[in-house]
Structures are given as C-alpha cells and as structure tokens.
Amino acid sequence: MFTIKGKTTDWEVVIGLETHIEVLSNSKIFSGASADYNPTVAPNTQACMIDVAMPGMLPVLNKYCVEQAIKFGLGINAEISRHSKFARKQYFYPDLPQGYQISQPAEEPPVVGRGWVEIMGDDGNPKKIFIERAHMEQDAAKNKHDMHPTKSFVDYNRCGVMLLEIVTFLDTKNPENNSYITSPDEAERYLREIREIARALGVSKANMEEGSMRADVNVSVRPVGSKTFGTRTETKNMVSFKFIKNAIEYEARRQIEILENGGTVTQDTMRYHQDDGTTSVERSKEDALDYRYFPDPDLLELEISDEDIERIRKTMPELPAATRARYINEYGLSEYDANRLTETTDISHWYDDAVDGKTSRAKPVANWMISELFAHPENFDITNEIKENTDPDAPRIITPENIAELVDMISANEINGKQAKEIFIKMLDGERGTIHEIADKYGMKQITDTGAIESAVDEVIKNNPSQVEQYKSGKVGLLGFFVGNVMKATHGQANPAMVSDLLKQKLA
Ligand code: ADP
Ligand code: MG
C-alpha cells in the first residue's frame, strides 16, 4: 500500500478522478458543424449558429454521439441508463457563448451509470476501480490571450464538441470497499486504461498532449486504518501523467502537514504550477460557483432501448482487459508480459500480427518485443504503418513478420539464439532484407550435423585435460566452459543444446 510517513502516524492517500475525453464524431453533439477540432484548422471556420448561440437556433442531439457514449459505457462494464436528461450548467465566460454548458444533471442518472475498470494495483495484483458515472456534455471554445498585447480572442471551433466526463466512485457508505485509486501510480494506470479503452473503441483519441483527455484530480488523506474519508481538494484541468502524479503527491503532503499541525483541510479548488510542482488555492468552497442546474427545455429526454444497446454491443472489439486475459490463459504469458503488451492497442495489435495465432511463437515473440524492441523505439513502428524505409541511411523498421521469421528460424534450428541476436543487431544497424536473406548473406547457419559437432567436442575435450579432470571430480559448473569453447570452435554456429548434450555424454 502506498503510504506517506508522518510525524506520528502513516497516512493513506485517497484519489478521485474526473476525466474528460473529447469524443470522436463527424459533427458536434448538438450542431452540424465539424467536430474535427484540431490546431491546424483556421479559427472560427467550424462553428455554426448554434455553437455561437445565435437566438432562435435549437440544438439537435447527435445520435452517433449517444452511441459513442453507450460504447464507452459498455467498455467500462457500466449500466446504461434507459432514460436520461440534459441540463444547463450556468456560468459566464467568454468561451461559453450560451452562458451555460449543456451537460447531464448531477442528481439524476447520466447516460452511463455505475461501472468499473481493472488495473494493476500497487501490490501487483489486479484491482477494480469503480466508476460512478460518465455523462455527456459540450466542450467550451478556446480563449487566446497570447495573440495581441491588449486584446483577447476566442476560437469557437471546439465549442460544442462532445465530451464524456468519467467520474471515479468512492463508496463513502461502505469503507470496506477499497475499489478506488490510492496512489499516484495507480492514478496513472487508471488513466492509461481509460485511454486504451477509449482508443480501442474509437470513442476518443484520448491524448493528453493534444488536450483530448484531461482530468480533475481530487485528493484527500487519512491516517492508515481510519474508516472515514478526509476532506478533499480538487486540482483542475491536468494534462499530463507526470503533472498529475506530482500534484497528487504534493497535495497529499501539504494536507498532512496541515493536519499534523492541528489544522483542518478545506475543500478548495487548487491550481497546479507546472514550473515548481506546487499547488495553491484557486478558489475556496465559500466562493464555489452555484451553477443553478435546470433541465434544458430545448432538448427531449434521451431514451435508449435494449435493442440499441445490443446492436452496439455486437460491434465492440476486444478490449485491453480481455486481451490481457487471452495472453495469460491461451499463450501462457506472465501477468507482467501481458501488461506490457497491452499498454496500447497498437502494441497488442503488433504482437498479435507477429504471433498470428501460432501458440509456439507466443512466448519468444513477447520476449523479443519486451527486451529488445521496446529498447529501440526508432526501429519499432508500433502502429505498423511504415513497412519499408526507402532512405538507406534511415533506421530499418522491424515488422511483426520479421520477428515471426526470426523466432521460427530459431525453433526450426536454422539459426541459434546468438545468431538471431546478431541478425537483430544488423537490422538495427540498417541491414535490409528478410531474416533468411540476412542469415544467408552472412553465412549464418546453425550446425546441427552431429558428426561436425562431435569432432569439435572431441577436440575441446582433448585440449583441456585438467578441466576434464576437475569436471569428473564433481565441478560440473565447468560445463559452460566446454560449451563456450565448442561454440568458439564452430564460429558460434553449433546448436548449443546439441553441444551441451554431447558434452554431458562424453564427460560422464
Ligand atoms: P463534485 O460534484 O464536487 O465534482 P463529486 O461528488 O462528483 O464532486 O466527486 C468528484 C470526485 O471526487 C469523485 O471522483 C469522487 O470519488 C471524488 N471524491 C469525493 N470525495 C473524496 C474524498 N474525500 N477524497 C478523495 N476523492 C474524493
Ligand atoms: Mg467536479
């Protein structure tokens, strides 16, 4: 368990995340303007009358956006509400021309109800993180304060793009239920899992660097063993895993210091400072905004049928948790390997392409990917889009087919592990061609001819009489010495397993 040592007691950290993901759709949630919001699009070219709140314009709910929400809800094992509503959340800001954000009311069921995702807990075991809800809402526009010395500008392209806000659950009524995030690392793993589910489903790019995923981070602390939760603070609009982890740790330590000095934590909204990793109060609870939520009279209630849900369920691809289970149960991979290979769907697709359903390849391909390819990102196009780099000086892109060929040649005894490693290094150095072609070019062939190996073994035994004597008197660790010498004598081409067997026979 992640704890922080205090003066008199150890402290536990409790974390709640409100994650916003920008939902992929052709048009916006309530208007026909393009939702392909990206920084290369000229400002205010993708905002229509509804987005800028011209009087008399009525919003129309985008059916595809609702389907995206349902898809995501099914992806997080959640209940899908058959009825839900839209409400106006009122505040004034230049990036919100309506004067309110259309969202779903906090006190009524949103489209996606209670669900869960599974992450690896800090103890290395699977851990369920419960999710309270996920609701649909509009994104705001973007204020630009850095374009003119005395003026600010607003780009309305993003205004009205659909967001899904996903809120983790804290079971205050049942303190034994510990399915919530309790460390900075778990927060990161949770966010990565949400990201991968959203990407696998095509619901969002969920990319923090591009702003299509952001999180509000709620943190409280309590002495280890305490059955009640402490007062939390909320740090808003966090856009990097690193900052989120820093902010959690900083906030937790700040709260512990207050409590240990006899003070009380107040339920404030905090601002995180990227430069020095600190937080400061942005607004206190007394200044909390009253959003005066009320049902949006321009929108009908949302009705979802069982048929809608079943139709969408049938289109769902395999999600990361199922992929992990498949790797462990069908391919016999370790929990660790399965986790590494499902960090992103691009990685698991790459792995699946290389294994291509052949169980014998499963473990060796996993090993090559995790211990070799991950260390050479310049040669590893995980999207597997670049098959061939035509510039001869550019790094060679290693494909799933290459690794499949490599492990097949090893298991067919065509090359040994050492030669495979040499071929791999040659590919890293830019060598082109198939694995067979490279092996041929450098005369790498494994010697599996017993006669040839036997004569090399005899030679080594003859030349090392004192080591032979020591081996026979019990120093069996010398086997490695003999194997090494036979391999040297055969220029690394002998089959090491055959060498070792023959040596054992002859030295016995
Ligand atoms: P709000 O409406 O003010 O945003 P919510 O009740 O929706 O508050 O909770 C927001 C998030 O804060 C949720 O993820 C919830 O689990 C989390 N949270 C609530 N209480 C605590 C607490 N004491 N410590 C840490 N997180 C908390
Ligand atoms: Mg909130």
Side-chain angles (χ1 to χ4, degrees):
M1 187 168 78
F2 176 84
T3 55
I4 295 178
K5 230 180 174 37
K7 281 193 223 128
T8 53
T9 174
D10 285 353
W11 297 84
E12 187 184 322
V13 185
V14 174
I15 300 154
L17 295 179
E18 296 162 88
T19 312
H20 294 84
I21 56 175
E22 199 130 33
V23 171
L24 289 166
S25 63
N26 287 335
S27 52
K28 297 181 180 179
I29 178 169
F30 299 117
S31 85
S34 168
D36 178 21
Y37 167 76
N38 77 65
T40 64
V41 176
N44 295 314
T45 54
Q46 292 184 172
C48 69
M49 298 292 188
I50 289 179
D51 303 326
V52 294
M54 286 297 149
M57 307 301 295
L58 290 177
V60 178
L61 179 59
N62 179 339
K63 188 175 174 195
Y64 184 73
C65 286
V66 177
E67 294 185 355
Q68 292 285 63
I70 296 173
K71 227 189 280 176
F72 186 81
L74 295 173
I76 60 166
N77 313 290
E79 299 156 23
I80 307 297
S81 309
R82 301 304 192 267
H83 307 274
S84 65
K85 293 178 190 165
F86 290 98
R88 294 182 176 181
K89 179 180 177 179
Q90 328 225 24
Y91 62 94
F92 178 78
Y93 207 62
D95 66 10
L96 191 70
Q98 290 168 159
Y100 56 84
Q101 177 194 36
I102 305 178
S103 181
Q104 296 201 280
E107 56 295 332
E108 286 182 64
V111 59
V112 176
R114 190 77 59 80
W116 53 268
V117 296
E118 196 168 87
I119 63 164
M120 189 181 74
D122 282 338
D123 60 3
N125 292 318
K127 176 175 180 180
K128 269 191 183 146
I129 304 297
F130 279 119
I131 290 167
E132 183 179 320
R133 54 191 273 136
H135 58 261
M136 306 171 68
E137 58 187 29
Q138 294 174 299
D139 204 350
K142 223 178 160 115
N143 293 322
K144 308 242 176 191
H145 301 299
D146 55 0
M147 296 176 67
H148 190 278
T150 57
K151 291 180 183 162
S152 282
F153 294 86
V154 189
D155 175 4
Y156 289 101
N157 283 351
R158 196 179 66 182
C159 197
V161 173
M162 173 172 159
L163 291 177
L164 200 56
E165 176 174 341
I166 307 136
V167 184
T168 60
F169 180 62
L170 200 57
D171 199 348
T172 45
K173 296 205 186 77
N174 175 15
E176 303 299 315
N177 178 354
N178 56 5
S179 295
Y180 52 85
I181 301 163
T182 54
S183 77
D185 286 339
E186 286 185 0
E188 176 170 359
R189 281 185 228 119
Y190 165 82
L191 288 166
R192 287 186 184 279
E193 186 71 12
I194 293 293
R195 182 180 76 178
E196 291 320 310
I197 292 169
R199 287 183 181 174
L201 293 170
V203 166
S204 174
K205 288 187 195 155
N207 186 326
M208 284 209 162
E209 296 80 58
E210 289 173 4
S212 53
M213 175 166 177
R214 32 194 204 266
D216 301 340
V217 182
N218 295 268
V219 176
S220 67
V221 296
R222 57 176 175 177
V224 169
S226 162
K227 295 270 183 253
T228 51
F229 293 110
T231 303
R232 58 150 159 167
T233 61
E234 178 176 4
T235 311
K236 285 203 174 280
N237 258 319
M238 304 291 290
V239 290
S240 102
F241 294 129
K242 191 171 133 235
F243 295 157
I244 288 171
K245 295 202 317 186
N246 288 348
I248 291 170
E249 179 126 16
Y250 183 85
E251 241 330 272
R253 290 185 189 279
R254 188 187 69 87
Q255 294 178 13
I256 291 168
E257 184 162 330
I258 292 175
L259 294 169
E260 291 198 327
N261 288 315
T264 47
V265 174
T266 48
Q267 195 181 333
D268 296 330
T269 300
M270 312 299 292
R271 182 198 294 270
Y272 177 73
H273 306 280
Q274 301 186 356
D275 331 330
D276 60 359
T278 61
T279 58
S280 64
V281 177
E282 180 169 294
R283 62 176 129 81
S284 65
K285 201 185 177 189
E286 290 82 70
D287 312 326
L289 298 173
D290 176 2
Y291 293 116
R292 296 179 298 124
Y293 274 96
F294 74 83
D296 192 311
D298 290 342
L299 287 159
L300 295 172
E301 287 183 19
L302 177 57
E303 302 259 346
I304 296 169
S305 69
D306 293 348
E307 294 75 53
D308 290 333
I309 295 172
E310 283 323 304
R311 177 174 50 79
I312 291 163
R313 197 192 297 279
K314 288 203 185 86
T315 67
M316 306 267 293
E318 183 182 75
L319 292 176
T323 313
R324 268 195 298 277
R326 177 161 63 80
Y327 291 171
I328 293 168
N329 301 332
E330 287 178 29
Y331 289 162
L333 299 192
S334 67
E335 190 93 35
Y336 174 83
D337 287 358
N339 271 311
R340 294 294 315 266
L341 294 171
T342 52
E343 267 170 20
T344 70
T345 36
D346 282 335
I347 292 176
S348 64
H349 287 160
W350 204 103
Y351 175 73
D352 281 330
D353 283 351
V355 173
D356 195 20
K358 300 184 177 65
T359 310
S360 64
R361 285 184 187 163
K363 274 190 189 169
V365 170
N367 291 342
W368 279 95
M369 282 180 75
I370 293 168
S371 49
E372 305 293 343
L373 276 172
F374 285 174
H376 297 281
E378 67 282 8
N379 297 85
F380 185 28
D381 169 42
I382 52 163
T383 62
N384 201 24
E385 275 162 10
I386 310 169
K387 294 280 182 200
E388 194 58 63
N389 236 332
T390 41
D391 175 0
D393 296 327
R396 172 185 173 140
I397 300 301
I398 297 174
T399 64
E401 293 74 31
N402 297 148
I403 294 298
E405 192 181 348
L406 199 65
V407 304
D408 284 353
M409 284 179 75
I410 301 170
S411 60
N413 282 327
E414 291 176 71
I415 51 172
N416 61 35
K418 190 163 162 287
Q419 290 165 327
K421 190 71 195 280
E422 276 169 38
I423 292 174
F424 187 78
I425 289 166
K426 288 198 185 300
M427 289 197 287
L428 297 183
D429 288 344
E431 187 76 49
R432 306 295 144 120
T434 66
I435 309 297
H436 275 98
E437 282 163 1
I438 299 173
D440 284 349
K441 178 169 168 190
Y442 292 94
M444 287 187 225
K445 249 184 122 166
Q446 185 165 226
I447 304 174
T448 49
D449 162 18
T450 328
I453 294 177
E454 193 165 3
S455 60
V457 166
D458 291 341
E459 191 72 12
V460 167
I461 289 177
K462 195 178 91 201
N463 292 340
N464 296 284
S466 75
Q467 279 87 349
V468 171
E469 206 159 297
Q470 287 175 47
Y471 181 92
K472 287 187 170 163
S473 63
K475 220 174 156 192
V476 289
L478 277 171
L479 186 68
F481 164 83
F482 294 112
V483 174
N485 274 292
V486 176
M487 291 306 289
K488 214 184 282 167
T490 57
H491 306 289
Q493 298 193 340
N495 177 315
M498 289 174 69
V499 172
S500 164
D501 286 348
L502 260 173
L503 276 164
K504 277 189 210 151
Q505 271 174 39
K506 300 223 170 207
L507 290 168

